[in-house]
Amino acid sequence: MTEPSIFTRILNGEIPGDFVARTERVFAIRDINPQADLHVLVIPVTEQYGDVTELAAGDPGLMAEMVAVAKQIADEHANGEYRLIFNNGATAGQSVFHVHAHVLGNIEEGKLVGF
C-alpha cells in the first residue's frame, strides 16, 4: 500500500494548508511557492488519478468540476481572468502524482516566463 499524497495529508489535517474552496469531490489550497498573486491548486479528493490524462479518461465529470472550481476562485480573486495549468509527468514539472491544477491570476507581466 502506498503512502497518502501530500495533498491527502493536507486534506486530512496532518499538514497545514490554506484552503480556498471545497466541494464534496474537490478542494483548493494556496500554493506554498506562489508564482503569481493568485496561485491556488485545485485537487480532487480521490488519489485515483495520477495525472490529467488519467483523470480525463477516467472521470470527465470530475475534471469539469475542477475547472468549475478554478473559475469560481478566479471570479472571486482575479476578476475572472486566470491561467489553468496541469503539469503532466516529471519532466513537465509534475512533482506530486495526485492530479492537480494550478490556477494563476493577477499575474505580473513577465513573471511566468518559463513556467
Side-chain angles (χ1 to χ4, degrees):
M1 181 158 209
T2 62
E3 292 290 317
S5 76
I6 190 167
F7 299 143
T8 298
R9 293 178 68 208
I10 291 168
L11 181 64
N12 291 339
E14 297 170 31
I15 298 172
D18 186 0
F19 287 82
V20 177
R22 184 160 182 189
T23 70
E24 188 174 305
R25 300 190 331 146
V26 173
F27 65 101
I29 56 175
R30 293 194 188 278
D31 194 289
I32 62 169
N33 184 26
Q35 302 298 306
D37 286 344
L38 173 67
H39 188 168
V40 172
L41 305 177
V42 178
I43 309 158
V45 169
T46 181
E47 290 188 62
Q48 180 177 354
Y49 306 104
D51 62 45
V52 67
T53 305
E54 292 176 7
L55 175 62
D59 194 341
L62 180 56
M63 185 168 177
E65 186 172 341
M66 289 177 68
V67 172
V69 169
K71 181 184 180 336
Q72 174 190 347
I73 291 166
D75 286 347
E76 293 172 8
H77 301 280
N79 297 320
E81 297 181 358
Y82 64 104
R83 288 177 73 178
L84 186 62
I85 300 167
F86 288 90
N87 297 328
N88 194 35
T91 61
Q94 186 177 4
S95 59
V96 178
F97 293 88
H98 176 162
V99 66
H100 57 286
H102 296 258
V103 180
L104 296 112
N106 302 324
I107 301 164
E108 293 178 33
E109 188 173 335
K111 185 166 185 176
L112 292 179
V113 175
F115 181 79

